[in-house]
Amino acid sequence: GAIDEAATLWESGLLFDMAEELGPRFGHKQIDGITYLNRQIIDRLKKAQVYHQDKTNSCQSKNALGGLRIIVKEIVSYMTAVLIQQLIFSMVDYPDSSSAQEDMVELMSFAVLPRIMGCGHEMMYDDLYDKLATRNFDKNSIPFATNAIHSHLNCLG
């Protein structure tokens, strides 16, 4: 079904590969042959499939939809963690030229920062946007940016 397709797309996708590459850099060990974040996502996709197939959790029930909604939120949170790791890696250890680094920091900022604004932290979003996403990235901004991201993890997932 649709959840099998989602799992297949995840395992063959860019974010899956990104999580596999970045996981060890962030201290994540392999669990059953894949990194921690990918394992968490796949486990939740399986949980969603079981949940969906369970006749007592029919999607016609408000309670069942609430449970499925929680699973989906957890999946999105783990996917967001991959993006946060890539943003931090891009700021700190990106191996290419300064221009390529700026491009990657900008791209990952566009993926991560709107969630901060979505939690009502417009001023923090504006500060981070100015420092990370305007092609003016300066490595001196790293401590501020990483601290801000860390202190807003509840908004990010």
Side-chain angles (χ1 to χ4, degrees):
I3 296 174
D4 287 331
E5 289 179 41
T8 301
L9 289 171
W10 175 256
E11 290 180 5
S12 64
L14 176 62
L15 283 176
F16 180 91
D17 292 342
M18 198 181 292
E20 288 300 301
E21 181 181 325
L22 292 168
R25 295 175 190 267
F26 286 85
H28 294 180
K29 300 199 183 313
Q30 297 273 323
I31 300 172
D32 297 328
I34 59 176
T35 60
Y36 173 79
L37 290 175
N38 280 333
R39 171 57 47 212
Q40 298 305 314
I41 292 165
I42 290 168
D43 287 351
R44 276 153 185 83
L45 287 168
K46 288 178 182 177
K47 187 176 177 181
Q49 183 177 33
V50 168
Y51 203 88
H52 178 69
Q53 291 172 344
D54 182 355
K55 298 301 179 200
T56 62
N57 287 323
S58 167
C59 285
Q60 297 171 3
S61 160
K62 277 190 172 187
N63 290 336
L65 288 176
L68 197 54
R69 185 176 293 120
I70 290 169
I71 295 168
V72 170
K73 284 182 179 182
E74 290 174 347
I75 292 169
V76 170
S77 291
Y78 284 114
M79 289 177 174
T80 301
V82 176
L83 297 172
I84 293 167
Q85 285 182 345
Q86 183 62 53
L87 174 58
I88 292 169
F89 172 74
S90 298
M91 289 188 292
V92 176
D93 287 326
Y94 201 73
D96 289 340
S97 69
S98 170
S99 177
Q101 181 182 28
E102 282 184 351
D103 290 345
M104 186 56 85
V105 169
E106 179 182 31
L107 178 64
M108 290 297 106
S109 295
F110 289 141
V112 172
L113 297 182
R115 294 189 66 142
I116 291 174
M117 187 169 58
C119 285
H121 300 285
E122 290 87 3
M123 290 177 58
M124 181 56 65
Y125 168 83
D126 290 343
D127 284 348
L128 287 168
Y129 184 87
D130 289 343
K131 289 178 176 25
L132 303 178
T134 57
R135 301 209 30 89
N136 290 324
F137 174 67
D138 178 353
K139 287 197 177 243
N140 292 323
S141 301
I142 292 172
F144 169 80
T146 54
N147 287 335
I149 290 166
H150 185 261
S151 67
H152 289 84
L153 287 176
N154 63 326
C155 291
L156 297 169

